[in-house]
Amino acid sequence: MPINEIQDAIIEEMTPIKEWFDKYEYLISLGRQLKPIDEGIRSERYQIQGCQSQVWITAEIEKDILHFSADSDSLITRGIISLLLRVLDRQPPVEVMHADLYFIREIGLSSNLSPSRANGLSLIIQQMKRYGEDFSRFQS
């Protein structure tokens, strides 16, 4: 499914949730559902530096499609990662690299996170896009 269609679906799902307390609860529930990553990925090599919580992200490419693995030690951050994975996982690297992640703005996520969490979100997105850029060089 195209990135923008996935983002539109997320916006549609979250629009009825008006209170930010309820949105945080939704993110926490998504975080609980996120599949754990292999312990080998929970290393300094894949850790995002500068995040308030610990976050690990890696990617591999198979048949010109990026596959991300990501996790955090924070349930809210895991929920945010879950949304990002829903949008960017199983997409072509060039699409990931150029994605306008407008759903973050539309659901109010960027304006309702603490400054340190907002910085962490930015760092996670930068890393995911960097993987898109790196792997796009190897596409035929």
Side-chain angles (χ1 to χ4, degrees):
M1 182 181 292
I3 287 174
N4 288 351
E5 285 183 31
I6 299 167
Q7 292 189 90
D8 292 343
I10 292 170
I11 293 166
E12 189 174 316
E13 288 168 17
M14 292 194 72
T15 297
I17 307 171
K18 299 297 182 197
E19 299 296 322
W20 262 96
F21 176 80
D22 296 328
K23 288 186 183 190
Y24 283 125
E25 287 296 318
Y26 180 71
L27 288 173
I28 288 169
S29 73
L30 290 176
R32 286 189 176 112
Q33 297 170 33
L34 184 64
K35 182 180 152 191
I37 59 172
D38 293 335
E39 282 302 312
I41 296 171
R42 288 177 172 262
S43 69
E44 193 173 313
R45 177 178 179 193
Y46 301 110
Q47 189 170 7
I48 305 292
Q49 300 302 314
C51 288
Q52 176 180 349
S53 51
Q54 293 186 68
V55 177
W56 304 271
I57 299 176
T58 188
E60 56 187 29
I61 192 162
E62 184 179 322
K63 297 181 183 176
D64 294 333
I65 299 296
L66 264 180
H67 298 278
F68 287 99
S69 294
D71 203 355
S72 174
D73 63 349
S74 159
L75 281 176
I76 289 176
T77 304
R78 289 184 92 217
I80 293 168
I81 288 169
S82 178
L83 291 175
L84 290 170
L85 289 175
R86 185 170 162 193
V87 173
L88 298 176
D89 191 38
R90 298 181 308 266
Q91 298 290 342
V94 171
E95 297 292 323
V96 170
M97 182 173 74
H98 295 296
D100 171 17
L101 300 175
Y102 60 86
F103 84 95
I104 294 168
R105 186 175 54 256
E106 292 294 320
I107 65 173
L109 189 58
S110 54
S111 60
N112 285 286
L113 292 176
S114 67
S116 58
R117 280 205 199 280
N119 180 60
L121 172 61
S122 176
L123 293 170
I124 293 166
I125 292 168
Q126 286 173 25
Q127 182 60 47
M128 293 178 90
K129 287 186 170 211
R130 193 173 302 121
Y131 276 121
E133 183 178 358
D134 291 347
F135 283 110
S136 70
R137 295 181 187 146
F138 301 108
Q139 286 192 296
S140 48

